[in-house]
Amino acid sequence: MTEQIDSLSARDLDRVCSLVYQHSGINLNAEKRIMLEGRLKRRMTSLKLDSYSEYCKYLFAGDRDPNEITQLIDAVSTNKTDFFREKEHFEVLLAKVLPALAARNGTVREIVLWSAGCSSGEEPYTLAIVLTEYARLHPAFRFRILATDISTSVLEKAQRAVFTAEVVNPVPPELRRRFFLRSKDRKSNLLRVVPELRQKIEFRHLNLMEDFALPEPADVIFCRNVIIYFDRPTQERLFRKFARQLVNGGYVFVGHSESLHHMDVPLVPVAPAVYRKADGYDRK
Ligand SMILES: C[S@@+](CC[C@H](N)C(=O)[O-])C[C@H]1O[C@@H](n2cnc3c(N)ncnc32)[C@H](O)[C@@H]1O
């Protein structure tokens, strides 16, 4: 007897891709069938469902758990991240961006940074490390970080602030000693971020596809390795929203494989994958 191999029907593949796109802007397509099937399998196992068609019946039924969309987005989003990922960006931040913001605003105002699509926290904790070091040398410097993501499971992980030694490895040894606590259990390879850094970051659930307004404008937005999953019109809309959330002369960092080239947005390139808000563009 031949074994029945279950796969998503073309119709279900289409329906799931549209639902994900509608809710998150994440543009899955038929080429990603294998990836999508693998990730849906995890949801099916949790729900004790045996086939993709049963899962889709559940997903598109009127009485499904409203939380299933969140679970689905969690399952299909790519959360890969690292401490000090694309580390040239942190050099640009220190050498170019902070001095420019200080020259513009004076040093008295607290700088607000936003890590949009922060995943499990490695990016905002890296920012907190780098900026805490900067503040040691510039005592008048103050900062705060807002870190947001659509995925509730990565946000929980980020808030726990517990990482394995392998994950923390890209942090230079001296900074590792200063900003991470070892577990009391000497055999454990887990480390926790020190409270001094944790209190600098506010983690919040935020879907970049929805209308949002920050309580106050940001000076710097890090949105790296997020737009790669969006189509071009979605990217353009998002960057116009970012420009509205930035102070005049504020900065946006994107991933090195991402670009705003040929987009009609009020952001001008100033360094590789770094943009500054053009003067005269309003917040409203
Ligand atoms: C590949 S990770 C990048 C993490 C980090 N910025 C970095 O560069 O290491 C992309 C993150 O974007 C989040 N994301 C995807 N779509 C989103 C949306 N519509 N709103 C908010 N976050 C989203 C994903 O959940 C994921 O955690």
Side-chain angles (χ1 to χ4, degrees):
M1 207 165 72
T2 43
E3 197 185 326
Q4 194 68 36
I5 299 175
D6 185 29
S7 68
L8 262 176
S9 70
R11 175 168 174 266
D12 282 342
L13 179 67
D14 255 21
R15 291 202 296 168
V16 174
C17 289
S18 314
L19 190 68
V20 169
Y21 178 73
Q22 215 181 308
H23 283 271
S24 68
I26 298 171
N27 189 21
L28 302 166
N29 52 39
E31 291 143 53
K32 297 197 178 143
R33 165 189 282 278
I34 305 277
M35 180 277 271
L36 185 59
E37 285 181 346
R39 291 177 181 196
L40 292 187
K41 265 237 152 80
R42 280 186 249 153
R43 278 310 297 143
M44 286 155 51
T45 310
S46 319
L47 294 164
K48 299 193 171 52
L49 297 173
D50 291 331
S51 66
Y52 294 110
S53 59
E54 270 182 68
Y55 176 68
C56 288
K57 217 183 265 169
Y58 168 70
L59 183 63
F60 294 101
D63 59 349
R64 65 143 188 260
D65 179 346
N67 194 33
E68 185 53 33
I69 298 280
T70 310
Q71 300 288 348
L72 172 68
I73 305 292
D74 266 17
V76 302
S77 60
T78 299
N79 307 116
K80 191 207 163 343
T81 185
D82 283 312
F83 282 100
F84 285 88
R85 184 177 196 181
E86 302 182 16
K87 69 178 188 333
E88 308 74 33
H89 268 160
F90 302 99
E91 287 152 21
V92 174
L93 182 68
L94 295 177
K96 197 162 182 165
V97 169
L98 294 183
L101 287 170
R104 224 178 147 110
N105 305 322
T107 46
V108 278
R109 199 171 59 73
E110 189 176 54
I111 295 290
V112 178
L113 298 101
W114 176 20
S115 167
C118 64
S119 189
S120 37
E122 285 85 336
E123 179 176 275
Y125 287 123
T126 303
L127 283 170
I129 291 173
V130 166
L131 296 177
T132 302
E133 284 295 281
Y134 183 82
R136 271 213 298 174
L137 305 173
H138 304 83
F141 178 74
R142 287 174 309 123
F143 71 95
R144 212 150 37 81
I145 299 169
L146 171 66
T148 64
D149 204 281
I150 194 173
S151 160
T152 48
S153 60
V154 290
L155 284 171
E156 278 163 24
K157 191 164 176 241
Q159 267 163 316
R160 273 200 301 280
V162 175
F163 300 95
T164 63
E166 293 75 49
V167 168
V168 176
N169 208 32
V171 180
E174 197 195 316
L175 299 178
R176 225 182 295 158
R177 279 192 291 277
R178 203 161 121 56
F179 292 112
F180 290 85
L181 301 167
R182 290 212 77 95
S183 160
K184 287 199 189 92
D185 172 3
R186 288 285 132 195
K187 279 187 256 135
S188 159
N189 77 336
L190 297 179
L191 296 115
R192 187 159 200 221
V193 178
V194 294
E196 180 191 0
L197 292 192
R198 298 206 307 267
Q199 70 202 18
K200 288 287 183 194
I201 307 173
E202 181 194 346
F203 286 101
R204 243 201 270 165
H205 179 260
L206 190 144
N207 180 353
L208 294 168
M209 291 307 105
E210 289 174 3
D211 281 335
F212 53 80
L214 301 185
E216 57 192 312
D219 294 277
V220 178
I221 299 174
F222 268 59
C223 185
R224 305 185 309 160
N225 308 297
V226 178
I227 64 160
I228 200 166
Y229 306 106
F230 301 159
D231 61 17
R232 206 183 154 81
T234 308
Q235 294 179 349
E236 225 171 294
R237 270 197 303 279
L238 181 61
F239 283 104
R240 278 198 219 105
K241 284 197 238 175
F242 279 162
R244 287 196 290 274
Q245 303 302 320
L246 276 175
V247 296
N248 276 331
Y251 292 82
V252 178
F253 288 68
V254 298
H256 280 93
S257 60
E258 298 164 328
S259 162
L260 278 64
H261 199 54
H262 291 315
M263 277 191 204
D264 180 20
V265 292
L267 296 161
V268 290
V270 289
V274 184
Y275 297 81
R276 184 168 43 74
K277 179 173 166 178
D279 282 337
Y281 188 77
D282 240 330
R283 201 175 175 229
K284 286 276 140 216

